[in-house]
Short mmCIF file of all heavy atoms in Angstrom, two decimals:
data_model
loop_
_atom_site.label_atom_id
_atom_site.label_comp_id
_atom_site.label_asym_id
_atom_site.label_seq_id
_atom_site.Cartn_x
_atom_site.Cartn_y
_atom_site.Cartn_z
N MET N 26 30.89 -27.14 40.08
CA MET N 26 30.26 -26.07 40.69
C MET N 26 29.93 -25.05 39.60
O MET N 26 30.70 -24.89 38.65
CB MET N 26 31.27 -25.46 41.74
CG MET N 26 30.74 -24.29 42.44
SD MET N 26 31.03 -24.59 44.16
CE MET N 26 29.78 -23.50 44.86
N GLU N 27 28.84 -24.37 39.73
CA GLU N 27 28.38 -23.44 38.74
C GLU N 27 28.78 -22.00 39.14
O GLU N 27 28.71 -21.64 40.31
CB GLU N 27 26.88 -23.52 38.52
CG GLU N 27 26.52 -24.81 37.78
CD GLU N 27 25.09 -24.81 37.27
OE1 GLU N 27 24.35 -23.81 37.55
OE2 GLU N 27 24.74 -25.72 36.57
N TYR N 28 29.15 -21.20 38.18
CA TYR N 28 29.56 -19.85 38.36
C TYR N 28 28.84 -18.91 37.38
O TYR N 28 28.45 -19.42 36.27
CB TYR N 28 31.07 -19.66 38.19
CG TYR N 28 31.87 -20.50 39.17
CD1 TYR N 28 32.24 -21.73 38.94
CD2 TYR N 28 32.28 -19.91 40.39
CE1 TYR N 28 33.01 -22.54 39.83
CE2 TYR N 28 32.94 -20.63 41.31
CZ TYR N 28 33.33 -21.90 41.03
OH TYR N 28 34.06 -22.59 41.91
N LYS N 29 28.70 -17.65 37.71
CA LYS N 29 28.11 -16.74 36.80
C LYS N 29 29.20 -16.04 35.97
O LYS N 29 30.20 -15.60 36.53
CB LYS N 29 27.39 -15.63 37.62
CG LYS N 29 26.67 -14.64 36.75
CD LYS N 29 25.88 -13.65 37.62
CE LYS N 29 25.20 -12.60 36.75
NZ LYS N 29 24.52 -11.65 37.61
N VAL N 30 29.01 -15.94 34.67
CA VAL N 30 29.98 -15.31 33.79
C VAL N 30 29.82 -13.78 33.87
O VAL N 30 28.75 -13.23 33.71
CB VAL N 30 29.80 -15.79 32.32
CG1 VAL N 30 30.75 -15.11 31.38
CG2 VAL N 30 30.00 -17.33 32.23
N THR N 31 30.96 -13.06 34.22
CA THR N 31 30.91 -11.66 34.34
C THR N 31 31.43 -10.88 33.11
O THR N 31 31.07 -9.77 32.91
CB THR N 31 31.68 -11.22 35.58
OG1 THR N 31 33.05 -11.71 35.47
CG2 THR N 31 31.06 -11.65 36.87
N LYS N 32 32.27 -11.59 32.33
CA LYS N 32 32.81 -11.05 31.07
C LYS N 32 32.70 -12.07 30.01
O LYS N 32 33.00 -13.25 30.28
CB LYS N 32 34.23 -10.53 31.21
CG LYS N 32 34.37 -9.31 32.10
CD LYS N 32 35.86 -8.84 32.05
CE LYS N 32 36.03 -7.66 33.01
NZ LYS N 32 37.45 -7.29 33.07
N GLN N 33 32.47 -11.68 28.77
CA GLN N 33 32.43 -12.62 27.66
C GLN N 33 33.81 -13.17 27.42
O GLN N 33 34.80 -12.42 27.42
CB GLN N 33 31.93 -11.88 26.39
CG GLN N 33 31.89 -12.79 25.17
CD GLN N 33 31.41 -11.94 23.98
OE1 GLN N 33 30.86 -10.87 24.05
NE2 GLN N 33 31.59 -12.58 22.78
N HIS N 34 33.91 -14.44 27.16
CA HIS N 34 35.22 -15.06 26.90
C HIS N 34 35.03 -16.46 26.27
O HIS N 34 33.94 -16.97 26.22
CB HIS N 34 36.04 -15.26 28.23
CG HIS N 34 35.38 -16.14 29.21
ND1 HIS N 34 34.33 -15.77 30.04
CD2 HIS N 34 35.60 -17.48 29.51
CE1 HIS N 34 34.01 -16.82 30.80
NE2 HIS N 34 34.71 -17.85 30.52
N TRP N 35 36.15 -16.97 25.75
CA TRP N 35 36.15 -18.34 25.15
C TRP N 35 36.74 -19.28 26.14
O TRP N 35 37.78 -19.05 26.77
CB TRP N 35 36.97 -18.36 23.87
CG TRP N 35 36.32 -17.81 22.71
CD1 TRP N 35 36.40 -16.52 22.26
CD2 TRP N 35 35.46 -18.53 21.81
NE1 TRP N 35 35.64 -16.40 21.15
CE2 TRP N 35 35.07 -17.58 20.83
CE3 TRP N 35 35.01 -19.84 21.72
CZ2 TRP N 35 34.21 -17.97 19.84
CZ3 TRP N 35 34.17 -20.19 20.75
CH2 TRP N 35 33.76 -19.27 19.77
N GLY N 36 36.08 -20.48 26.40
CA GLY N 36 36.60 -21.50 27.14
C GLY N 36 36.47 -22.73 26.29
O GLY N 36 36.98 -22.81 25.21
N ASP N 37 35.79 -23.78 26.87
CA ASP N 37 35.48 -24.95 25.99
C ASP N 37 34.44 -24.52 24.91
O ASP N 37 34.32 -25.22 23.89
CB ASP N 37 35.02 -26.10 26.81
CG ASP N 37 33.86 -25.72 27.74
OD1 ASP N 37 33.66 -24.57 28.00
OD2 ASP N 37 33.10 -26.66 28.08
N ARG N 38 33.82 -23.41 25.08
CA ARG N 38 32.89 -22.79 24.13
C ARG N 38 32.83 -21.33 24.46
O ARG N 38 33.46 -20.85 25.44
CB ARG N 38 31.52 -23.45 24.21
CG ARG N 38 30.76 -23.20 25.50
CD ARG N 38 29.35 -23.81 25.49
NE ARG N 38 28.70 -23.50 26.69
CZ ARG N 38 27.91 -22.40 26.92
NH1 ARG N 38 27.82 -21.47 26.00
NH2 ARG N 38 27.26 -22.28 28.06
N GLN N 39 32.10 -20.52 23.72
CA GLN N 39 32.00 -19.15 23.98
C GLN N 39 30.96 -18.80 25.06
O GLN N 39 29.87 -19.38 25.03
CB GLN N 39 31.61 -18.38 22.75
CG GLN N 39 31.71 -16.88 23.00
CD GLN N 39 31.52 -16.07 21.69
OE1 GLN N 39 31.09 -16.59 20.65
NE2 GLN N 39 31.85 -14.83 21.70
N TYR N 40 31.35 -18.07 26.07
CA TYR N 40 30.48 -17.71 27.20
C TYR N 40 30.18 -16.24 27.11
O TYR N 40 31.07 -15.43 26.86
CB TYR N 40 31.12 -18.09 28.55
CG TYR N 40 31.31 -19.53 28.75
CD1 TYR N 40 32.47 -20.16 28.50
CD2 TYR N 40 30.15 -20.28 29.27
CE1 TYR N 40 32.60 -21.49 28.66
CE2 TYR N 40 30.34 -21.61 29.46
CZ TYR N 40 31.54 -22.26 29.15
OH TYR N 40 31.65 -23.59 29.36
N PHE N 41 28.94 -15.92 27.32
CA PHE N 41 28.53 -14.48 27.25
C PHE N 41 28.17 -14.03 28.68
O PHE N 41 27.88 -14.79 29.60
CB PHE N 41 27.30 -14.29 26.37
CG PHE N 41 27.56 -14.62 24.93
CD1 PHE N 41 27.29 -15.88 24.41
CD2 PHE N 41 28.13 -13.62 24.12
CE1 PHE N 41 27.57 -16.17 23.05
CE2 PHE N 41 28.40 -13.93 22.82
CZ PHE N 41 28.07 -15.18 22.27
N GLU N 42 28.32 -12.70 28.90
CA GLU N 42 28.01 -12.15 30.24
C GLU N 42 26.61 -12.52 30.66
O GLU N 42 25.59 -12.39 29.88
CB GLU N 42 28.12 -10.64 30.10
CG GLU N 42 28.01 -9.91 31.48
CD GLU N 42 28.25 -8.44 31.38
OE1 GLU N 42 28.87 -8.00 30.39
OE2 GLU N 42 27.80 -7.73 32.26
N GLY N 43 26.47 -12.99 31.89
CA GLY N 43 25.21 -13.41 32.45
C GLY N 43 24.92 -14.89 32.35
O GLY N 43 23.99 -15.39 33.00
N ASP N 44 25.70 -15.66 31.54
CA ASP N 44 25.54 -17.10 31.39
C ASP N 44 26.04 -17.74 32.65
O ASP N 44 26.76 -17.10 33.55
CB ASP N 44 26.38 -17.66 30.27
CG ASP N 44 25.83 -17.28 28.89
OD1 ASP N 44 24.68 -16.84 28.85
OD2 ASP N 44 26.53 -17.48 27.87
N THR N 45 25.68 -19.05 32.85
CA THR N 45 26.33 -19.77 33.95
C THR N 45 27.30 -20.78 33.34
O THR N 45 27.09 -21.27 32.25
CB THR N 45 25.21 -20.62 34.72
OG1 THR N 45 24.44 -21.42 33.83
CG2 THR N 45 24.27 -19.66 35.45
N ARG N 46 28.40 -20.91 34.04
CA ARG N 46 29.44 -21.82 33.57
C ARG N 46 29.79 -22.82 34.65
O ARG N 46 29.94 -22.44 35.84
CB ARG N 46 30.68 -21.03 33.21
CG ARG N 46 31.80 -21.92 32.78
CD ARG N 46 32.98 -21.14 32.32
NE ARG N 46 34.04 -22.05 31.87
CZ ARG N 46 35.18 -21.69 31.29
NH1 ARG N 46 35.41 -20.42 31.07
NH2 ARG N 46 36.00 -22.61 30.93
N GLU N 47 29.86 -24.10 34.28
CA GLU N 47 30.18 -25.18 35.24
C GLU N 47 31.71 -25.34 35.14
O GLU N 47 32.23 -25.69 34.05
CB GLU N 47 29.45 -26.43 34.95
CG GLU N 47 29.67 -27.54 35.99
CD GLU N 47 28.82 -28.76 35.78
OE1 GLU N 47 27.85 -28.69 35.04
OE2 GLU N 47 29.20 -29.76 36.35
N VAL N 48 32.41 -25.30 36.28
CA VAL N 48 33.82 -25.50 36.33
C VAL N 48 34.03 -26.60 37.33
O VAL N 48 33.63 -26.47 38.49
CB VAL N 48 34.61 -24.24 36.70
CG1 VAL N 48 36.06 -24.51 36.76
CG2 VAL N 48 34.26 -23.12 35.76
N LYS N 49 34.71 -27.70 36.92
CA LYS N 49 34.84 -28.83 37.82
C LYS N 49 36.12 -28.79 38.63
O LYS N 49 36.19 -29.37 39.71
CB LYS N 49 34.78 -30.15 36.96
CG LYS N 49 33.45 -30.34 36.37
CD LYS N 49 33.39 -31.60 35.52
CE LYS N 49 32.00 -31.78 34.84
NZ LYS N 49 31.91 -32.91 33.97
N VAL N 50 37.17 -28.15 38.12
CA VAL N 50 38.45 -28.10 38.76
C VAL N 50 38.50 -26.79 39.50
O VAL N 50 38.42 -25.66 39.00
CB VAL N 50 39.59 -28.20 37.79
CG1 VAL N 50 40.90 -28.18 38.49
CG2 VAL N 50 39.44 -29.50 36.94
N LYS N 51 38.76 -26.82 40.86
CA LYS N 51 38.77 -25.67 41.73
C LYS N 51 39.87 -24.68 41.27
O LYS N 51 39.60 -23.46 41.27
CB LYS N 51 38.93 -26.09 43.18
CG LYS N 51 38.81 -25.00 44.18
CD LYS N 51 38.92 -25.45 45.62
CE LYS N 51 38.84 -24.28 46.57
NZ LYS N 51 38.92 -24.71 47.95
N SER N 52 41.04 -25.18 40.91
CA SER N 52 42.11 -24.28 40.58
C SER N 52 41.75 -23.51 39.32
O SER N 52 42.18 -22.32 39.20
CB SER N 52 43.44 -25.06 40.41
OG SER N 52 43.32 -26.02 39.40
N ASP N 53 41.09 -24.16 38.38
CA ASP N 53 40.67 -23.43 37.16
C ASP N 53 39.67 -22.29 37.52
O ASP N 53 39.79 -21.18 36.93
CB ASP N 53 40.01 -24.42 36.20
CG ASP N 53 41.00 -25.35 35.54
OD1 ASP N 53 42.24 -25.14 35.69
OD2 ASP N 53 40.56 -26.34 34.92
N ALA N 54 38.78 -22.61 38.43
CA ALA N 54 37.76 -21.63 38.86
C ALA N 54 38.45 -20.44 39.49
O ALA N 54 38.04 -19.32 39.29
CB ALA N 54 36.72 -22.26 39.73
N GLU N 55 39.45 -20.73 40.34
CA GLU N 55 40.15 -19.64 41.03
C GLU N 55 40.92 -18.74 40.07
O GLU N 55 40.90 -17.56 40.22
CB GLU N 55 41.16 -20.24 42.06
CG GLU N 55 40.46 -20.91 43.30
CD GLU N 55 41.38 -21.65 44.22
OE1 GLU N 55 42.58 -21.72 43.85
OE2 GLU N 55 40.93 -22.07 45.28
N GLN N 56 41.46 -19.36 39.07
CA GLN N 56 42.18 -18.61 38.04
C GLN N 56 41.18 -17.72 37.21
O GLN N 56 41.51 -16.54 36.96
CB GLN N 56 42.95 -19.50 37.07
CG GLN N 56 43.84 -18.85 36.13
CD GLN N 56 44.67 -19.76 35.28
OE1 GLN N 56 44.53 -20.97 35.31
NE2 GLN N 56 45.61 -19.15 34.53
N LEU N 57 40.08 -18.30 36.88
CA LEU N 57 39.10 -17.52 36.11
C LEU N 57 38.48 -16.37 36.97
O LEU N 57 38.23 -15.29 36.41
CB LEU N 57 37.95 -18.42 35.62
CG LEU N 57 38.28 -19.42 34.52
CD1 LEU N 57 37.28 -20.43 34.32
CD2 LEU N 57 38.65 -18.66 33.19
N MET N 58 38.29 -16.65 38.23
CA MET N 58 37.82 -15.56 39.16
C MET N 58 38.90 -14.53 39.29
O MET N 58 38.56 -13.29 39.36
CB MET N 58 37.46 -16.14 40.49
CG MET N 58 36.12 -16.84 40.46
SD MET N 58 35.47 -17.25 42.15
CE MET N 58 36.39 -18.69 42.53
N GLY N 59 40.16 -14.87 39.35
CA GLY N 59 41.24 -13.90 39.40
C GLY N 59 41.34 -13.04 38.22
O GLY N 59 41.67 -11.88 38.31
N MET N 60 41.00 -13.58 37.07
CA MET N 60 40.96 -12.77 35.85
C MET N 60 39.67 -11.92 35.72
O MET N 60 39.56 -11.11 34.77
CB MET N 60 41.15 -13.63 34.57
CG MET N 60 42.50 -14.24 34.50
SD MET N 60 42.79 -15.08 32.97
CE MET N 60 41.79 -16.57 33.20
N GLY N 61 38.75 -12.15 36.56
CA GLY N 61 37.48 -11.39 36.57
C GLY N 61 36.48 -11.87 35.50
O GLY N 61 35.62 -11.13 35.13
N LEU N 62 36.62 -13.12 35.05
CA LEU N 62 35.73 -13.67 34.03
C LEU N 62 34.51 -14.33 34.64
O LEU N 62 33.46 -14.36 33.96
CB LEU N 62 36.53 -14.73 33.19
CG LEU N 62 37.74 -14.12 32.41
CD1 LEU N 62 38.39 -15.24 31.65
CD2 LEU N 62 37.29 -13.01 31.48
N ILE N 63 34.60 -14.92 35.82
CA ILE N 63 33.45 -15.54 36.46
C ILE N 63 33.37 -15.11 37.85
O ILE N 63 34.33 -14.56 38.47
CB ILE N 63 33.56 -17.12 36.42
CG1 ILE N 63 34.82 -17.61 37.17
CG2 ILE N 63 33.56 -17.61 34.96
CD1 ILE N 63 34.86 -19.09 37.35
N ALA N 64 32.21 -15.29 38.52
CA ALA N 64 31.98 -15.02 39.93
C ALA N 64 31.09 -16.08 40.52
O ALA N 64 30.30 -16.67 39.75
CB ALA N 64 31.37 -13.66 40.10
N GLU N 65 31.16 -16.30 41.81
CA GLU N 65 30.33 -17.28 42.47
C GLU N 65 28.89 -16.72 42.36
O GLU N 65 28.64 -15.55 42.41
CB GLU N 65 30.69 -17.46 43.89
CG GLU N 65 32.02 -18.24 43.96
CD GLU N 65 32.35 -18.55 45.43
OE1 GLU N 65 31.47 -18.66 46.26
OE2 GLU N 65 33.54 -18.78 45.68
N ILE N 66 27.97 -17.65 42.23
CA ILE N 66 26.53 -17.31 42.12
C ILE N 66 26.04 -17.04 43.61
O ILE N 66 26.21 -17.93 44.44
CB ILE N 66 25.69 -18.44 41.50
CG1 ILE N 66 26.12 -18.60 40.05
CG2 ILE N 66 24.22 -18.09 41.62
CD1 ILE N 66 25.39 -19.69 39.34
N ASP N 67 25.51 -15.88 43.81
CA ASP N 67 24.99 -15.48 45.11
C ASP N 67 23.51 -15.72 45.19
O ASP N 67 22.74 -15.31 44.31
CB ASP N 67 25.26 -13.99 45.37
CG ASP N 67 24.94 -13.53 46.77
OD1 ASP N 67 24.84 -14.46 47.68
OD2 ASP N 67 24.86 -12.32 47.02
N VAL N 68 23.05 -16.49 46.19
CA VAL N 68 21.64 -16.88 46.31
C VAL N 68 20.78 -15.62 46.48
O VAL N 68 19.74 -15.50 45.87
CB VAL N 68 21.42 -17.86 47.47
CG1 VAL N 68 20.01 -18.13 47.65
CG2 VAL N 68 22.27 -19.06 47.31
N LYS N 69 21.31 -14.64 47.20
CA LYS N 69 20.51 -13.42 47.38
C LYS N 69 20.35 -12.67 46.05
O LYS N 69 19.39 -12.00 45.85
CB LYS N 69 21.18 -12.51 48.35
CG LYS N 69 21.23 -13.03 49.72
CD LYS N 69 21.97 -12.16 50.69
CE LYS N 69 22.19 -12.73 52.13
NZ LYS N 69 22.94 -11.95 52.96
N GLU N 70 21.34 -12.78 45.18
CA GLU N 70 21.32 -12.03 43.91
C GLU N 70 20.20 -12.58 42.98
O GLU N 70 19.63 -11.87 42.22
CB GLU N 70 22.65 -12.23 43.22
CG GLU N 70 22.77 -11.51 41.89
CD GLU N 70 24.20 -11.68 41.30
OE1 GLU N 70 25.17 -11.40 42.01
OE2 GLU N 70 24.23 -12.25 40.17
N GLU N 71 19.84 -13.88 43.14
CA GLU N 71 18.91 -14.53 42.23
C GLU N 71 17.46 -14.10 42.65
O GLU N 71 16.58 -14.19 41.91
CB GLU N 71 19.00 -16.03 42.27
CG GLU N 71 20.29 -16.51 41.67
CD GLU N 71 20.44 -18.05 41.74
OE1 GLU N 71 19.51 -18.68 42.31
OE2 GLU N 71 21.35 -18.53 41.16
N LYS N 72 17.21 -13.73 43.93
CA LYS N 72 15.89 -13.32 44.35
C LYS N 72 15.56 -11.96 43.76
O LYS N 72 16.42 -11.14 43.52
CB LYS N 72 15.82 -13.27 45.89
CG LYS N 72 15.98 -14.61 46.56
CD LYS N 72 15.84 -14.44 48.04
CE LYS N 72 16.02 -15.79 48.73
NZ LYS N 72 15.91 -15.65 50.19
N ALA N 73 14.30 -11.79 43.55
CA ALA N 73 13.84 -10.45 43.06
C ALA N 73 14.02 -9.39 44.12
O ALA N 73 13.83 -9.66 45.29
CB ALA N 73 12.38 -10.55 42.66
N ALA N 74 14.37 -8.18 43.68
CA ALA N 74 14.53 -7.10 44.61
C ALA N 74 13.16 -6.61 45.11
O ALA N 74 12.19 -6.68 44.35
CB ALA N 74 15.23 -5.92 43.90
N PRO N 75 13.08 -6.28 46.35
CA PRO N 75 11.83 -5.86 46.87
C PRO N 75 11.32 -4.50 46.23
O PRO N 75 12.18 -3.71 45.79
CB PRO N 75 12.11 -5.60 48.40
CG PRO N 75 13.56 -5.38 48.46
CD PRO N 75 14.14 -6.17 47.40
N LYS N 76 10.07 -4.43 46.08
CA LYS N 76 9.54 -3.17 45.45
C LYS N 76 9.68 -2.01 46.36
O LYS N 76 9.29 -2.05 47.51
CB LYS N 76 8.03 -3.46 45.12
CG LYS N 76 7.43 -2.60 44.06
CD LYS N 76 6.08 -3.09 43.71
CE LYS N 76 5.63 -2.45 42.44
NZ LYS N 76 4.27 -2.88 42.02
N PRO N 77 10.26 -0.93 45.87
CA PRO N 77 10.47 0.29 46.70
C PRO N 77 9.12 0.95 47.02
O PRO N 77 8.17 0.97 46.21
CB PRO N 77 11.35 1.19 45.86
CG PRO N 77 11.15 0.80 44.45
CD PRO N 77 10.83 -0.69 44.53
N LYS N 78 9.04 1.52 48.26
CA LYS N 78 7.86 2.23 48.62
C LYS N 78 7.87 3.67 48.01
O LYS N 78 8.89 4.25 47.82
CB LYS N 78 7.78 2.38 50.17
CG LYS N 78 7.51 1.10 50.87
CD LYS N 78 7.33 1.30 52.32
CE LYS N 78 6.97 0.08 53.08
NZ LYS N 78 6.81 0.31 54.53
N ASN N 79 6.71 4.13 47.77
CA ASN N 79 6.56 5.45 47.20
C ASN N 79 6.51 6.42 48.42
O ASN N 79 5.51 6.49 49.12
CB ASN N 79 5.26 5.59 46.36
CG ASN N 79 5.10 6.96 45.71
OD1 ASN N 79 5.95 7.85 45.95
ND2 ASN N 79 4.11 7.08 44.88
N LYS N 80 7.54 7.12 48.59
CA LYS N 80 7.67 7.98 49.76
C LYS N 80 6.83 9.24 49.63
O LYS N 80 6.57 9.98 50.58
CB LYS N 80 9.17 8.37 49.96
CG LYS N 80 10.04 7.20 50.33
CD LYS N 80 11.45 7.58 50.55
CE LYS N 80 12.31 6.38 50.87
NZ LYS N 80 13.71 6.71 51.02
N MET N 81 6.47 9.55 48.38
CA MET N 81 5.66 10.76 48.16
C MET N 81 4.18 10.55 48.40
O MET N 81 3.37 11.45 48.57
CB MET N 81 5.87 11.31 46.76
CG MET N 81 7.28 11.81 46.48
SD MET N 81 7.72 13.22 47.55
CE MET N 81 6.63 14.47 46.88
N ALA N 82 3.78 9.27 48.38
CA ALA N 82 2.35 8.95 48.57
C ALA N 82 1.92 9.24 50.04
O ALA N 82 2.68 8.96 50.97
CB ALA N 82 2.10 7.47 48.28
N LYS N 83 0.72 9.81 50.19
CA LYS N 83 0.27 10.10 51.51
C LYS N 83 -0.28 8.82 52.17
O LYS N 83 -0.81 7.99 51.51
CB LYS N 83 -0.86 11.12 51.41
CG LYS N 83 -0.40 12.53 50.92
CD LYS N 83 -1.56 13.45 50.86
CE LYS N 83 -1.08 14.83 50.41
NZ LYS N 83 -2.21 15.81 50.33
N GLU N 84 -0.11 8.82 53.48
CA GLU N 84 -0.67 7.72 54.24
C GLU N 84 -2.18 7.89 54.31
O GLU N 84 -2.72 8.97 54.52
CB GLU N 84 -0.14 7.70 55.69
CG GLU N 84 1.35 7.31 55.77
CD GLU N 84 1.55 5.86 55.50
OE1 GLU N 84 0.71 4.97 55.84
OE2 GLU N 84 2.57 5.51 54.87
N PRO N 85 -2.95 6.78 54.05
CA PRO N 85 -4.45 6.95 54.16
C PRO N 85 -4.89 7.22 55.60
O PRO N 85 -4.27 6.78 56.59
CB PRO N 85 -4.93 5.58 53.70
CG PRO N 85 -3.84 4.62 53.91
CD PRO N 85 -2.59 5.43 53.79
N ALA N 86 -5.95 8.02 55.72
CA ALA N 86 -6.48 8.33 57.01
C ALA N 86 -7.04 7.09 57.65
O ALA N 86 -6.87 6.88 58.86
CB ALA N 86 -7.59 9.41 56.90
N ASN N 87 -7.69 6.25 56.86
CA ASN N 87 -8.25 4.99 57.34
C ASN N 87 -7.34 3.85 56.80
O ASN N 87 -7.23 3.67 55.61
CB ASN N 87 -9.70 4.85 56.84
CG ASN N 87 -10.32 3.54 57.33
OD1 ASN N 87 -9.75 2.79 58.08
ND2 ASN N 87 -11.56 3.38 57.00
N LYS N 88 -6.73 3.14 57.65
CA LYS N 88 -5.73 2.10 57.20
C LYS N 88 -6.41 0.95 56.48
O LYS N 88 -5.75 0.15 55.89
CB LYS N 88 -4.93 1.60 58.41
CG LYS N 88 -4.05 2.69 58.95
CD LYS N 88 -2.90 2.11 59.69
CE LYS N 88 -2.08 3.18 60.20
NZ LYS N 88 -0.72 2.90 60.22
N ALA N 89 -7.82 0.88 56.49
CA ALA N 89 -8.46 -0.18 55.82
C ALA N 89 -8.53 0.03 54.31
O ALA N 89 -8.81 -0.78 53.53
CB ALA N 89 -9.87 -0.32 56.37
N GLU N 90 -8.23 1.31 53.90
CA GLU N 90 -8.27 1.67 52.53
C GLU N 90 -7.04 1.14 51.77
O GLU N 90 -6.00 1.12 52.15
CB GLU N 90 -8.36 3.19 52.34
CG GLU N 90 -9.65 3.78 52.85
CD GLU N 90 -9.73 5.28 52.70
OE1 GLU N 90 -8.72 5.88 52.32
OE2 GLU N 90 -10.76 5.82 52.98
#
């Protein structure tokens, strides 16, 4: 299973924050999550954030514009 690295650490190699790490043993993954080194990858997190609307912009008089 793949996890997102939240803090830089050494494992079988050096992992940097933001990398993905594959952990095959569930108990190892639970221990690393308990230490705050990895987190489960959230599908919603991978999607781009929606563009915020400009609240100061005036609504057009003609909606076709």
Side-chain angles (χ1 to χ4, degrees):
M26 181 129 202
E27 290 193 356
Y28 297 90
K29 181 177 178 182
V30 177
T31 55
K32 289 185 183 177
Q33 179 181 347
H34 65 278
W35 281 93
D37 54 337
R38 64 177 185 88
Q39 187 171 13
Y40 293 96
F41 295 96
E42 186 175 339
D44 289 347
T45 56
R46 178 175 180 173
E47 185 175 343
V48 182
K49 295 179 182 177
V50 181
K51 186 177 179 181
S52 61
D53 290 346
E55 290 173 353
Q56 186 175 8
L57 290 168
M58 283 191 280
M60 291 189 286
L62 299 176
I63 62 172
E65 290 187 21
I66 296 176
D67 188 17
V68 176
K69 293 178 186 177
E70 183 179 302
E71 292 181 356
K72 293 182 180 178
K76 201 171 194 181
K78 289 186 176 181
N79 184 354
K80 294 180 181 178
M81 294 298 293
K83 293 182 180 179
E84 289 290 324
N87 182 358
K88 294 203 179 214
E90 293 179 354

